[in-house]
Amino acid sequence: MTFDYTEEQIAVRDAARDLAQRTMKKGVIERDTHMKYPTEEVRQMAEMGLLGMMVDPAYNGGGMDTICYVLAIEEISKVDNSCSVIMSVNNSLVCWGLERFGTEDQKQKYLTKLATGEWIGAFCLSEPEAGSDATSQRTMAIDQGDHYLLNGTKNWITNGGTSRIHLVIAQTDTSLGHRGISVFIVDTSWPGVVIGAKEDKLGIRSSDTHTIMYTDVKVPKENRIGEDGFGFKFAMQVLSGGRIGIASQALGIAAGAYELALAYSKERMAFGKPIFEHQAISFKLAQMATEIEAARLLVHRAARLKDAGKDFLAAASMAKVFASETAMRTTIEAVQIHGGYGFVKEYHVERLMRDAKITQIYEGTSEIQRIVINRQIQLGELYPELS
Ligand code: CAA
C-alpha cells in the first residue's frame, strides 16, 4: 500500500481543514448547545463541492476518489460532526446509491441536484422496530399499477428535516421476506410526507434527525431503484460504502481530540513542568496516537479497495468498528488530560466525546460490524487485495 497522496488529495484535505478550522469552529459550540442546523456551513460545503465529491462530473459531481472523500471528512469531523454526518449521508448513502443503481432518468432528475447540494438527501431504512434487524421492515409500498402507495414510519433519519429527497426502503411483498423489499426515491414535497419533531440528542446535536411518517404517498413506478425486491441488497451495498464515511468521521473525532489534548498538555503546568512531560500523560498520548494511526490505515485500506473496484465489505466494517471504538477511547482520554477544563464546553473535547458515541451506533452498530466481518471470515473472503 502506498502512503503518498496525490496533489489533488492534499489540496482537498487542506481546503476541508481550512473550512473546518477557520469557519466551522467559530459557532460550533453555540450550534451544538441550541441544536441549531448549520445552514451556512452546509451552503459552504456545497459551494466547495463537498456534498457530491465522488459523483461523475457528468452529473455535476466532483469526480474525486474515495481517499479525497475520507481526508475531507476526517478534517471536518475534527471540528463539527453535525456537518460531517450531513456530508457523509449525502455523499455515500444517497449520491453513491443513486449513481450506482439508478436509471439515467433518475440520475438526470435527482443526482444532478443532490451532487451540488442544491438538494440534500436522506436514507430511510431504520424503523421503530427495525434497527439492527433491518429485514423487519413494516413500511409498505403497495403496487397500484402505475404507482405504489407508501405507508409507514421511519426513525432516526439524518437530514430528515432538510432533505428534499428520501431513499425509502419498504416492503412490497411480505410473503418474500427480505426478497420482497424494494427502494424508492421519494420527493418530500409530495402529499403524505410528514416530518416529525427534531430529536434532542447526546451528540451531533445540530444535525437534523427526525421521525418521518408516510401516509398514502403516491410514488410513481419510475421512482423505484432497480427491480422489485432489490431494496435490501441495495441497502446493504450502500451501507458498506457509507461505513467508510462514518469510519472517517470517527477517525476525525479521535484525531481532533488528540490534537487538542496534545496542545493543552504542552501548555498546562503541574508539579513544575508541562503535564506533557509527566509519564502518566505521555503514555496516554502515545496510546492515542498509535490507535489513531491504526484507524487511519484501516480507513484508507477500505477506501483504496473501493476505488480499485475490489470487495471492501469486511474492510469497511473493520474500519468502522475500530475507528469508532478508537474515537470513544481517545475522546475519554482527551477529556481526562484536560482535567476540569475538559468537562466544560469551551475546550471542545467534551463535545467530541459526546459525538464519538453515535459512531458506534449508526450505519450499523459495532456488534453488527463484527457480524459482517465474521461472515466474511467464514466465507474466506477477508483479504480481497491478495487474491
Ligand atoms: N451486499 C449484497 N447483498 C447482501 C449484503 C451485501 N453487503 N449483505 C447481505 N446481503 C444479502 C444476502 O446475500 C441475502 O440475500 P439472499 O438471501 O438473496 O442470498 C440477504 O441480503 C439477507 O442477508 P442476511 O441473511 O445476511 O441478512 P440478516 O438478516 O442476517 O442481516 C445484517 C444482515 C448484516 C445484520 C443487516 O441486517 C445489517 O447490516 N443491519 C444493520 C442495519 C444498519 O446498518 N442500519 C443503519 C441505518 S442507516 C443510518 O444509520 C444512516 C444515517 O442516517 C446515519
Side-chain angles (χ1 to χ4, degrees):
M1 177 188 285
T2 169
F3 293 92
D4 296 335
Y5 297 123
T6 63
E7 275 179 26
E8 183 188 34
Q9 290 162 351
I10 292 168
V12 169
R13 182 198 62 195
D14 291 351
R17 183 178 293 168
D18 198 57
L19 175 70
Q21 299 292 340
R22 281 178 196 256
T23 309
M24 290 176 171
K25 199 162 187 172
K26 270 182 227 137
V28 66
I29 295 173
E30 202 210 332
R31 289 194 298 277
D32 173 76
T33 304
H34 301 294
M35 301 187 345
K36 192 166 163 256
Y37 185 77
T39 308
E40 177 55 21
E41 290 70 20
V42 172
R43 192 195 62 72
Q44 289 184 48
M45 288 197 293
E47 202 174 275
M48 285 172 62
L50 295 178
L51 296 181
M53 292 180 73
M54 295 169 290
V55 174
D56 189 327
Y59 302 109
N60 298 339
M64 290 178 235
D65 61 19
T66 313
I67 295 292
C68 285
Y69 175 57
V70 297
L71 288 169
I73 292 209
E74 180 183 339
E75 290 306 323
I76 291 183
S77 303
K78 288 178 181 174
V79 175
D80 190 330
N81 286 285
S82 293
C83 287
S84 60
V85 73
I86 293 165
M87 178 182 163
S88 178
V89 167
N90 202 67
N91 272 285
S92 38
L93 296 185
V94 179
C95 287
W96 192 70
L98 261 174
E99 184 166 23
R100 178 96 202 271
F101 300 109
T103 63
E104 185 56 28
D105 282 353
Q106 290 169 349
K107 291 182 203 176
Q108 291 297 345
K109 195 165 174 189
Y110 299 109
L111 184 58
T112 50
K113 293 195 166 68
L114 289 160
T116 59
E118 179 185 342
W119 288 353
I120 298 291
F123 180 77
C124 306
L125 171 69
S126 301
E127 298 188 354
E129 288 169 82
S132 290
D133 181 8
T135 57
S136 296
Q137 294 289 309
R138 297 246 171 117
T139 297
M140 293 294 306
I142 305 294
D143 192 337
Q144 304 281 308
D146 65 337
H147 68 273
Y148 288 87
L149 211 53
L150 180 71
N151 279 285
T153 301
K154 295 289 176 181
N155 258 26
W156 320 116
I157 302 304
T158 302
N159 297 341
T162 42
S163 47
R164 171 69 186 264
I165 298 302
H166 289 177
L167 301 188
V168 182
I169 316 294
Q171 197 84 41
T172 38
D173 185 343
T174 45
S175 70
L176 295 175
H178 68 77
R179 293 190 186 125
I181 290 173
S182 301
V183 54
F184 303 94
I185 304 167
V186 173
D187 188 322
T188 57
S189 67
W190 293 343
V193 181
V194 175
I195 316 294
K198 182 167 173 165
E199 301 288 356
D200 185 350
K201 310 185 294 286
L202 174 73
I204 55 163
R205 285 174 53 75
S206 55
S207 70
D208 59 326
T209 312
H210 294 256
T211 296
I212 315 283
M213 281 79 69
Y214 305 100
T215 309
D216 289 338
V217 179
K218 276 174 89 171
V219 183
K221 270 269 163 78
E222 65 265 23
N223 275 36
R224 191 186 67 214
I225 302 177
E227 295 298 308
D228 209 359
F230 176 62
F232 191 71
K233 290 196 176 177
F234 172 88
M236 290 299 104
Q237 291 190 47
V238 164
L239 275 168
S240 24
R243 287 164 186 164
I244 300 178
I246 300 304
S248 43
Q249 178 184 52
L251 169 62
I253 293 172
Y258 166 78
E259 285 170 14
L260 290 166
L262 178 63
Y264 178 82
S265 72
K266 287 179 178 169
E267 283 167 15
R268 174 70 175 173
M269 302 291 288
F271 306 104
K273 56 183 179 183
I275 59 170
F276 176 74
E277 291 176 23
H278 290 286
Q279 195 181 58
I281 302 299
S282 66
F283 277 13
K284 282 188 197 300
L285 290 164
Q287 182 67 23
M288 290 155 85
T290 305
E291 289 187 34
I292 289 165
E293 209 45 47
R296 189 173 287 114
L297 289 173
L298 284 173
V299 170
H300 287 211
R301 173 173 175 260
R304 286 187 197 279
L305 285 172
K306 179 167 171 282
D307 284 340
K310 299 204 174 182
D311 181 4
F312 60 91
L313 179 61
S317 287
M318 285 178 172
K320 182 176 182 287
V321 72
F322 189 80
S324 60
E325 294 184 1
T326 297
M328 203 67 251
R329 280 192 296 271
T330 303
T331 53
I332 287 172
E333 289 293 57
V335 170
Q336 191 69 17
I337 290 170
H338 279 77
Y341 293 105
F343 208 62
V344 295
K345 292 190 175 188
E346 197 188 327
Y347 284 78
H348 296 282
V349 283
E350 64 81 35
R351 185 185 70 259
L352 292 174
M353 184 181 80
R354 288 186 282 106
D355 289 346
K357 189 61 209 167
I358 193 61
T359 67
Q360 295 178 299
I361 298 172
Y362 59 19
E363 299 202 20
T365 61
S366 291
E367 292 74 15
I368 290 295
Q369 306 312 323
R370 289 186 168 94
I371 290 176
V372 173
I373 296 162
N374 187 258
R375 286 185 182 170
Q376 295 302 102
I377 292 173
Q378 289 179 6
L379 290 169
E381 289 180 3
L382 256 197
Y383 298 106
E385 71 269 42
L386 299 180
S387 58

